[in-house]
Amino acid sequence: DQQVKQNSPSLSVQEGRISILNCDYTNSMFDYFLWYKKYPAEGPTFLISISSIKDKNEDGRFTVFLNKSAKHLSLHIVPSQPGDSAVYFCAASQGGSEKLVFGKGTKLTVNP
Amino acid sequence: ETGVTQSPTHLIKTRGQQVTLRCSSQSGHNTVSWYQQALGQGPQFIFQYYREEENGRGNFPPRFSGLQFPNYSSELNVNALELDDSALYLCASSEGGSSGNTIYFGEGSWLTVV
């Protein structure tokens, strides 16, 4: 029973365009969401997070949108750069716990 | 560079053996969590330690055990290794105590069980 789902295993975009990575969750008790980026042979690197009291959080080229009614969040990267090519994981937690529940990841490829 | 360091980076063990993985958390962080990432999957929560006490456990059998030391470093021990234990083991640290803390991961220890 996957509580956090990333339904697209891969995504390919052109440099300079927008990348949109999607994530759905089933547990309505989740109240904190994070995105991590992972390069091969490295640990996940924190990118951006959002609390359930917000519907948008922006940090430079990265913006996360949260739609609580749809139990859906998305990560927008604008403009996309070749260095953004990595696996992106969506994660969620609830009630002050730091136990993260991860999706399976989406491999983003940004073509020059 | 997250300040979370893990050792060893790679190791190979035989089925039935025992393994100990180590983690030094980022300075000032009193909470350490361990995750298992199998190939093609997202990380799965194993357990968490807060100020030397286990503070939450995922769906892993008792042969997965851990320790946190007074300096907040941590160990993950796995007994009676099985082939399916082959995975990347990630340590994560945070300041702990409340929601919204950023959680930093180390680079992981790759375990292969043959």
Side-chain angles (χ1 to χ4, degrees):
Chain A
D1 175 32
Q2 260 208 300
Q3 298 186 69
V4 177
K5 298 178 185 178
Q6 294 177 256
N7 291 319
S8 298
S10 63
L11 174 68
S12 184
V13 300
Q14 285 299 120
E15 181 178 5
R17 306 294 289 269
I18 185 171
S19 296
I20 300 176
L21 297 108
N22 293 304
C23 177
D24 297 294
Y25 61 96
T26 57
N27 186 344
S28 58
M29 300 299 290
F30 286 145
D31 57 9
Y32 191 61
F33 304 89
L34 308 90
W35 284 93
Y36 283 85
K37 177 170 75 172
K38 188 177 184 300
Y39 294 117
E42 293 186 11
T45 302
F46 171 76
L47 267 179
I48 192 169
S49 62
I50 188 167
S51 162
S52 61
I53 62 172
K54 294 185 174 182
D55 54 18
K56 177 182 173 181
N57 189 26
E58 197 170 349
D59 183 2
R61 297 187 297 116
F62 302 92
T63 303
V64 56
F65 295 92
L66 175 62
N67 182 334
K68 288 188 290 295
S69 61
K71 295 192 181 68
H72 177 83
L73 64 156
S74 60
L75 173 69
H76 292 210
I77 306 173
V78 183
S80 301
Q81 300 172 353
D84 296 330
S85 297
V87 178
Y88 289 77
F89 289 99
C90 169
S93 66
Q94 66 180 76
S97 164
E98 294 185 2
K99 169 189 171 181
L100 298 179
V101 180
F102 282 86
K104 289 188 176 183
T106 297
K107 183 177 181 181
L108 173 66
T109 302
V110 180
N111 301 301
Chain B
E1 187 72 34
T2 64
V4 180
T5 58
Q6 294 186 241
S7 63
T9 52
H10 294 82
L11 70 167
I12 300 173
K13 288 285 189 178
T14 303
R15 189 170 51 181
Q17 284 188 314
Q18 179 264 347
V19 68
T20 297
L21 307 177
R22 296 178 174 83
C23 173
S24 283
S25 57
Q26 187 171 348
S27 177
H29 286 185
N30 56 22
T31 300
V32 172
S33 303
W34 286 91
Y35 290 78
Q36 180 196 66
Q37 185 179 10
L39 208 57
Q41 304 293 317
Q44 299 283 314
F45 176 77
I46 303 174
F47 44 56
Q48 181 183 87
Y49 280 82
Y50 174 65
R51 293 184 176 177
E52 303 178 58
E53 297 286 331
E54 187 176 294
N55 182 37
R57 188 177 182 93
N59 189 26
F60 281 81
R63 59 189 186 82
F64 285 76
S65 63
L67 281 174
Q68 187 181 29
F69 301 100
N71 65 355
Y72 301 135
S73 65
S74 177
E75 283 182 358
L76 165 65
N77 299 292
V78 187
N79 294 321
L81 283 166
E82 300 177 359
L83 298 179
D84 284 349
D85 295 333
S86 296
L88 175 66
Y89 288 85
L90 294 162
C91 172
S93 79
S94 64
E95 290 181 0
S98 64
S99 178
N101 290 317
T102 300
I103 299 168
Y104 296 94
F105 284 83
E107 296 196 351
S109 294
W110 285 96
L111 171 65
T112 301
V113 182
V114 297

